[in-house]
Amino acid sequence: MIAAACIGNLLEWYDFSVYALFAPYIAHALLPPADRLSQLAQSLLVFALGAVARPLGALLLGQLADRRGRGPALMLTCLLMGAGTALILFDPPYATAGRASIIILCLARLLQGISAGGEIGGAASFLVEGADNGRPGFAGSFLQATMGLSNMLGAAVAASLTALLSDAQMAQWGWRAPFAIGLLIIPFGIVLRLGNAAPKRPATDHGPILRDLARHHGGRFVAALGLSLLWGAAPYALVIYLPLYAQRFSGVTPHGSYVAVLAGNLALVAGSLTAGALADRIGVRRLLVAATLMLIALPGPILGLLKYDHGTAAMIAVAASLCGLVALFVGAAPLGIASLFPASVRATGIALSYNASVSLFGGFAPALLASLGLAWHGMPSPALYVALAGLPALAALLSPPFAPARAAPIAENSIGLAQKSITAPMPWNGRLASATRDETLS
């Protein structure tokens, strides 16, 4: 079940990661001739198109997951991600196809964005609702641990290709190889999700989901937006953008930065799973508050170390530290945001709130940070970006919807089968609270 839920997330973050890692080569091959900085900025803006399309995917696929079950929605997201990856892989060079290459690239990013927009809501609901061992935080943390695995895969591919191929070979055809690997993963995702597909329609009767979400869960949705701002900003700024930042502003070699990110994502995987287990033990709200405070305060001093040492060892230490900090937050975030919504609107609520935030603070982060440069009044730009996103997240965590008494029970069944009277742990404080089906839907 975990593999079926996470394979799509792995593909999503792998494709996003390799696009960011190979953005200079993609720009050179598929965009109009210009100076290297302008081409990079254009390539990152195309990267951001995926974020623009996320809310559309959240709206369409989130409601599909709530109405017809988590399985069918997860299957569709996998197919859409594969279609977008194939378009990038086979996109002809700008020198050959002209503007058609740009149109194909933009269409690919839109398809990937729609897929990613629907993925998070269905997958997070699928995992935390299916945790029948009373450990929904640990189950949900696999979603973010998969992000680390996908980044490791992307960094390993990047490090291997840059070591084996010349820069001319990378520019000519080498940058396509990572997308070919991503396309090969698609069949495995389809097989896994076919084996875990939900019934076509859940046994519960749903009314208009968006109306229910707006009328009865508006405060919870606003709190989810605040939490999602940091959930989106931290990985993009401190994990995805880190290699480009280290290369452009700190003198780290491309190969050294890829190796460091590969090592740093080990901390992201281990930290995410640890955060999920801690959320079940000490309460997800406490953990998220502590992680938010650390993300506001610590990335600046950590990135400042690169001023004094540009070596690979220093880069590994910085990457591991930043990925560990991000992991403490994102590992617990799936349970935190899922607990805000009842099962009847959970996938839609998660998908819309997360993707609305990511569209603003996530997908545009690389392009915005590249334009901000090295620092702002001595504060490294990625650290400043994350600190600003941390303020609304902290306010959301301290708001009434996150109060222990208001936590929404996690449904017993992950795929929309008949819900029974359940006893579920309240994730904030570890106490048990009984919740009937009627209370869950109220």
Side-chain angles (χ1 to χ4, degrees):
M1 187 195 74
I2 290 174
C6 292
I7 188 70
N9 199 56
L10 185 146
L11 282 170
E12 171 197 341
W13 282 104
Y14 172 79
D15 285 333
F16 274 57
S17 177
V18 296
Y19 189 103
L21 291 171
F22 291 93
Y25 298 110
I26 295 172
H28 178 75
L30 303 180
L31 296 178
D35 63 89
R36 292 175 65 88
L37 183 58
S38 297
Q39 273 195 334
L40 177 61
Q42 293 175 40
S43 179
L44 293 177
L45 285 174
V46 175
F47 174 83
L49 276 179
V52 174
R54 276 176 172 268
L56 178 60
L59 182 65
L60 299 177
L61 298 174
Q63 291 188 87
L64 177 66
D66 281 329
R67 289 188 180 279
R68 303 187 64 84
R70 315 308 189 202
L74 291 176
M75 180 67 68
L76 184 55
T77 62
C78 200
L79 293 172
L80 288 173
M81 184 62 70
T85 302
L87 285 176
I88 296 177
L89 174 62
F90 298 111
D91 193 358
Y94 181 84
T96 302
R99 293 180 180 177
S101 66
I102 305 174
I103 295 172
I104 294 172
L105 181 61
C106 291
L107 178 61
R109 292 298 301 147
L110 289 173
L111 287 176
Q112 290 182 331
I114 291 172
S115 170
E119 176 73 26
I120 189 69
S125 300
F126 189 90
L127 285 171
V128 301
E129 292 169 3
D132 55 1
N133 58 356
R135 302 176 68 189
F138 185 63
S141 68
F142 277 88
L143 196 63
Q144 296 303 304
T146 307
M147 181 185 75
L149 290 175
S150 63
N151 291 336
M152 289 169 62
L153 178 59
V157 170
S160 300
L161 288 174
T162 52
L164 295 174
L165 302 178
S166 66
D167 194 60
Q169 289 174 316
M170 286 296 303
Q172 186 175 11
W173 58 268
W175 66 269
R176 297 183 188 269
F179 297 99
I181 294 172
L183 195 61
L184 290 174
I185 301 174
I186 295 290
F188 294 99
I190 293 174
V191 170
L192 281 169
R193 289 187 169 181
L194 278 174
N196 287 272
K200 286 188 176 181
R201 184 175 295 277
T204 54
D205 184 23
H206 296 287
I209 293 175
L210 292 179
R211 186 177 67 185
D212 185 20
L213 188 64
R215 285 186 177 181
H216 304 296
H217 310 290
R220 295 175 184 269
F221 184 76
V222 172
L225 280 173
L227 185 70
S228 297
L229 283 174
L230 186 56
W231 191 3
Y236 276 91
L238 299 179
V239 181
I240 298 296
Y241 179 68
L242 182 62
L244 287 176
Y245 178 84
Q247 293 172 37
R248 287 194 59 202
F249 303 117
S250 298
V252 179
T253 64
H255 182 71
S257 69
Y258 298 155
V259 171
V261 170
L262 178 61
N265 275 277
L266 288 172
L268 184 63
V269 174
S272 294
L273 297 177
T274 301
L278 283 173
D280 291 324
R281 182 176 295 272
I282 68 173
V284 70
R285 187 192 194 194
R286 295 174 184 171
L287 180 60
L288 287 174
V289 169
T292 300
L293 291 173
M294 287 189 284
L295 281 171
I296 290 173
L298 297 181
I302 292 173
L303 284 171
L305 296 175
L306 293 177
K307 294 180 180 179
Y308 308 103
D309 191 341
H310 309 321
T312 301
M315 183 63 197
I316 290 175
V318 168
S321 300
L322 293 176
C323 288
L325 287 176
V326 171
L328 286 178
F329 186 88
V330 300
L335 176 60
I337 195 171
S339 298
L340 285 171
F341 301 104
S344 59
V345 298
R346 181 170 289 135
T348 304
I350 295 173
L352 282 178
S353 58
Y354 175 79
N355 289 291
S357 297
V358 169
S359 294
L360 298 175
F361 264 63
F364 286 97
L368 181 58
L369 289 170
S371 64
L372 285 176
L374 173 62
W376 188 79
H377 290 278
M379 181 75 155
S381 54
L384 174 64
Y385 196 77
V386 171
L388 291 175
L391 297 178
L394 186 61
L397 289 165
L398 299 177
S399 66
F402 267 100
R406 298 193 176 205
I410 300 297
E412 182 181 2
N413 198 302
S414 66
I415 56 176
L417 299 177
Q419 296 176 4
K420 301 178 292 183
S421 177
I422 62 172
T423 299
M426 286 295 92
W428 325 123
N429 50 26
R431 295 194 301 269
L432 295 179
S434 295
T436 66
R437 173 182 179 276
D438 292 336
E439 289 169 342
T440 301
L441 297 176
S442 66

